[in-house]
């Protein structure tokens, strides 16, 4: 991948076109998430089937906090069991922030959207990223630290400061967020990361990529890229 010019959506289509069979991915989905089931089908993977199970935290929380993240992890066992009769090639907990905030262990074989994101970045030889999130400032800072611990340099980060209500974030809000990242930082980044599976970013990915001149990888796109790599026999 040419880190300076490659279209991540185009790369996804290329990998999908190389697949020789069908890959089945179990998706453990936070109960209030509306974006994943909207965006993954629109990414056009002809060789991947996504099977969904919803996660309901014991706290019945929707805002991102420890009770939410830990509740998702605790609910993962039953969700995996509900998919047990499907011939899955992989299973992902479709919450990025649950992947870097600690909590109960996940069932064997379950990765998080954060794992998919970091794995894809390494697979594409991307080492310097500018990070944009809808999260509260402290959660965004925690993700920047987690990315650093995975060998990635976060050249700058910006956030909307929201603990909840991610489905309501408009495309223009995402564009405005990226404009908050200093131009010098964007020039030194290999890619822009739009973290969080719960906000709708697919409609603005290409526009932002053209504006910043860098690949833009969202959490949902990262999960799709993970699936496409499995389909061509190149797991993360």
């Amino acid at each position: 991948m040419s880190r300076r010019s490659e279209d991540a959506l185009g790369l996804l289509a290329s990998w999908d076109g190389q697949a020789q069979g069908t890959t089945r991915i179990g998706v453990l989905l936070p109960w209030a998430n509306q974006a994943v089931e909207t965006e993954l089908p629109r990414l056009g993977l002809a060789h991947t089937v996504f099977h969904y199970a919803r996660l309901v935290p014991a706290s019945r929380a929707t805002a991102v906090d420890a009770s939410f993240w830990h509740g998702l992890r605790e609910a993962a066992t039953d969700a995996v069991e509900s998919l047990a009769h499907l011939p899955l090639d992989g299973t992902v907990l479709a919450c990025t922030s649950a992947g870097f905030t600690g909590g109960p262990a996940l069932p064997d074989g379950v990765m998080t959207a954060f794992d998919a994101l970091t794995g894809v970045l390494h697979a594409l030889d991307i080492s310097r990223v500018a990070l944009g999130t809808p999260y509260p400032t402290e959660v965004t800072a925690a993700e920047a630290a987690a990315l650093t611990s995975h060998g990635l340099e976060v050249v700058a980060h910006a956030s909307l400061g929201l603990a909840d209500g991610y489905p309501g974030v408009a495309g223009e809000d995402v564009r405005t967020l990226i404009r908050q990242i200093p131009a010098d930082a964007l020039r030194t980044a290999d890619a822009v990361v739009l973290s969080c599976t719960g906000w709708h970013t697919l409609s603005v990915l290409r526009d932002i990529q053209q504006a910043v001149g860098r690949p833009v990888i969202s959490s949902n796109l990262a999960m799709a890229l993970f699936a496409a790599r499995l389909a061509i026999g190149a797991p993360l």
Side-chain angles (χ1 to χ4, degrees):
M1 177 176 183
S2 171
R3 296 180 298 183
R4 298 298 183 186
S5 61
E6 182 69 38
D7 176 0
L9 290 167
L11 181 64
L12 178 69
S14 175
W15 284 350
D16 184 54
Q18 298 172 47
Q20 299 299 309
T22 298
T23 296
R24 295 182 180 273
I25 304 295
V27 181
L28 312 184
L29 196 59
W31 67 322
N33 188 302
Q34 302 173 28
V36 168
E37 290 159 307
T38 301
E39 296 198 340
L40 288 183
R42 292 177 180 172
L43 286 167
L45 291 179
H47 296 91
T48 299
V49 178
F50 294 102
H51 298 279
Y52 300 95
R54 302 200 88 82
L55 301 173
V56 182
S59 65
R60 298 301 194 268
T62 57
V64 290
D65 61 14
S67 67
F68 174 75
W69 297 313
H70 295 185
L72 294 184
R73 286 175 163 268
E74 290 165 349
T77 298
D78 287 343
V80 168
E81 180 62 24
S82 77
L83 300 173
H85 290 289
L86 301 177
L88 299 179
D89 298 288
T91 303
V92 58
L93 194 168
C95 177
T96 317
S97 53
F100 60 81
T101 49
L106 292 170
D108 290 344
V110 176
M111 65 188 301
T112 70
F114 182 74
D115 298 324
L117 177 62
T118 55
V120 163
L121 293 172
H122 284 304
L124 299 182
D125 194 29
I126 289 171
S127 60
R128 295 164 61 86
V129 301
L131 173 65
T133 87
Y135 305 139
T137 303
E138 63 272 18
V139 178
T140 304
E143 179 167 18
L147 289 168
T148 299
S149 73
H150 280 72
L152 297 156
E153 180 181 353
V154 180
V155 298
H157 56 77
S159 62
L160 295 177
L162 301 175
D164 206 347
Y166 300 151
V169 174
E172 187 53 38
D173 297 327
V174 184
R175 292 189 185 93
T176 299
L177 175 68
I178 297 306
R179 287 195 288 268
Q180 295 175 16
I181 298 175
D184 287 347
L186 288 172
R187 281 192 290 269
T188 63
D190 298 325
V192 173
V193 169
L194 296 177
S195 178
C196 183
T197 65
W199 57 345
H200 298 273
T201 61
L202 182 57
S203 64
V204 296
L205 280 186
R206 287 195 189 279
D207 288 348
I208 294 174
Q209 182 169 270
Q210 290 176 358
V212 303
R214 299 289 183 271
V216 178
I217 300 177
S218 69
S219 291
N220 290 337
L221 177 55
M223 290 192 295
L225 287 164
F226 156 71
R229 282 183 63 82
L230 278 182
I232 62 173
L236 299 178

